[in-house]
């Protein structure tokens, strides 16, 4: 099982999209560690949303669409706001 997830940093009002073969909560813990490398380092993230996929290819394709097509991510965030998740 693979997951595509959205993280949110309230302090900087930033969103992060990723995919993983781990449980999203476990990946969130890794992002929030001070020893984390990369773009998410130094921020405290909240897991806002995730989707499950049966294979890595499907998860990577969804992550890519959320990262490259601004409308896709904007619509997803708007849907989450309407649902009261955010």
């Amino acid at each position: 099982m693979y997951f595509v997830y959205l993280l949110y940093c309230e302090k900087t009002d930033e969103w992060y999209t990723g995919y993983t073969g781990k449980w999203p909560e476990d990946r969130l813990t890794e992002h929030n560690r001070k020893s984390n490398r990369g773009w998410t380092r130094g921020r405290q993230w909240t897991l806002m949303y995730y989707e499950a996929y049966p294979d890595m290819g499907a998860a990577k394709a969804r992550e890519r669409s959320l990262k490259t097509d601004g409308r896709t991510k904007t619509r997803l965030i708007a849907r989450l706001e309407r649902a009261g998740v955010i």
Side-chain angles (χ1 to χ4, degrees), residues 27-34 36 43-46:
R27 189 67 183 108
L28 172 65
T29 300
E30 292 175 356
H31 280 291
N32 284 333
R33 283 193 189 132
K34 297 207 187 279
N36 181 42
R43 300 174 183 92
Q44 283 300 305
W45 298 95
T46 303

Side-chain angles (χ1 to χ4, degrees), residues 1-2 6 15 22-23 37-39 41 44 47 49-50 56 63 67-68 70 76 83 86:
M1 185 72 54
Y2 291 85
L6 285 178
W15 289 90
K22 302 177 182 184
W23 287 105
R37 296 180 183 178
W39 189 82
R41 184 179 185 169
Q44 283 300 305
L47 179 63
Y49 177 78
Y50 66 89
M56 185 171 58
E63 179 207 29
K67 285 186 172 181
T68 60
L76 175 58
I86 301 173

Side-chain angles (χ1 to χ4, degrees), residues 4 17-19 56-70 72:
V4 174
T17 305
Y19 83 93
M56 185 171 58
K60 285 176 85 170
R62 175 65 167 160
E63 179 207 29
R64 186 171 35 255
S65 74
L66 288 168
K67 285 186 172 181
T68 60
D69 181 4
T72 302

